[in-house]
Amino acid sequence: QSALTQPASVSGSPGQSITFSCTGTSNDVGGYNYVSWYQQYPGEAPRLMIYDVTNRPSGVSNRFSGSKSGNTASLTISGLQAEDEADYYCSSYTSSGTLEFGGGTKLTVV
Amino acid sequence: QVQLVESGGGVVQPGGSLRLSCAASGFTFSTYGMHWVRQAPGKGLEWVAFIRLDGSHEYYADSVKGRFTISRENPKNTLYLQLNSLRPDDTAVYYCAKDRLNHLLPPEYWGQGTLVIVSS
């Protein structure tokens, strides 16, 4: 069982906005602004989409945005596209001096 | 551009050992911390270990502490992971990943991974 809780799956239609949640504790998500989000296609390596809760790396579409409230971080994809269909993982630094990942959310674009 | 290329995976019997390597290029390797992260077949990501830029400090997940050792050779731009006392639940794709700084932050860039299968 992963330390950070993510819903197993979400679905949306093209053009919609969709939000993923990542729930931890005050020892990880709630205690630090070191939450990142990753996109992973089957058989490929993860790709960084958001770092430090809200920041987008160069080359990532501005349709992706991040936020945090208390112990829950969120990733929002606006203007959903078919190519967004993938697995999404959150990750956070922890007070134990380790990293944690969520169990991942499978996004289906219907 | 940043490139991370893992090697050394394969099939090993329970209790056996393996050493993974990660060749880094496209950035100044000696100025960044580095991670190993693994992913069991059909499962999520699990952080394994981190090493500071100069190799001075190492950090491990509880699941591998005492069995795995992370190390680096900065002159060769290479990261290593020594896997000992392997168990079937260590079966996974092992990814080498670059930290954004030297602070044990969620990784920035990832390699394509190398598959380790622990089976008799």
Side-chain angles (χ1 to χ4, degrees):
Chain A
Q1 187 167 349
S2 302
L4 303 181
T5 300
Q6 295 184 250
S9 62
V10 297
S11 62
S13 301
Q16 268 189 323
S17 287
I18 201 152
T19 297
F20 305 84
S21 64
C22 171
T23 302
T25 70
S26 58
N27 293 322
D28 39 61
V29 173
Y32 305 92
N33 287 325
Y34 294 136
V35 176
S36 290
W37 289 90
Y38 300 90
Q39 177 189 64
Q40 186 181 35
Y41 295 114
E44 296 191 8
R47 176 193 179 195
L48 181 66
M49 305 303 284
I50 296 288
Y51 68 93
D52 294 353
V53 178
T54 61
N55 296 294
R56 249 187 340 268
S58 169
V60 172
S61 169
N62 59 11
R63 297 187 298 107
F64 291 82
S65 61
S67 63
K68 189 180 83 167
S69 176
N71 296 335
T72 298
S74 299
L75 171 72
T76 297
I77 307 175
S78 59
L80 204 58
Q81 299 178 2
E83 67 200 47
D84 298 330
E85 186 165 293
D87 294 326
Y88 291 85
Y89 294 91
C90 62
S91 178
S92 173
Y93 175 78
T94 84
S95 60
S96 302
T98 63
L99 286 185
E100 289 170 342
F101 285 91
T105 298
K106 181 177 181 61
L107 170 63
T108 302
V109 180
V110 296
Chain B
Q1 74 281 20
V2 172
Q3 278 205 315
L4 300 166
V5 180
E6 302 92 338
S7 60
V11 180
V12 60
Q13 292 190 338
S17 298
L18 214 54
R19 188 173 87 152
L20 308 183
S21 299
C22 171
S25 61
F27 66 102
T28 306
F29 181 71
S30 60
T31 63
Y32 291 92
M34 296 293 295
H35 301 262
W36 287 98
V37 180
R38 68 184 181 182
Q39 186 170 33
K43 302 296 184 183
L45 300 168
E46 180 187 13
W47 176 77
V48 173
F50 172 81
I51 187 168
R52 294 213 181 270
L53 58 84
D54 57 0
S56 60
H57 290 87
E58 305 155 27
Y59 304 81
Y60 297 94
D62 287 344
S63 58
V64 307
K65 203 173 293 183
R67 300 188 300 122
F68 291 8
T69 303
I70 188 172
S71 62
R72 62 192 297 163
E73 272 191 89
N74 285 347
K76 292 187 176 181
N77 290 341
T78 303
L79 178 73
Y80 302 100
L81 186 67
Q82 178 69 39
L83 291 70
N84 296 332
S85 302
L86 282 161
R87 310 187 299 223
D89 63 356
D90 294 317
T91 294
V93 173
Y94 284 75
Y95 293 103
C96 159
K98 172 187 170 293
D99 198 87
R100 283 196 297 109
L101 297 166
N102 185 41
H103 293 164
L104 215 168
L105 301 175
E108 180 181 23
Y109 290 101
W110 301 60
Q112 287 303 304
T114 187
L115 177 60
V116 173
I117 298 173
V118 184
S119 174
S120 53

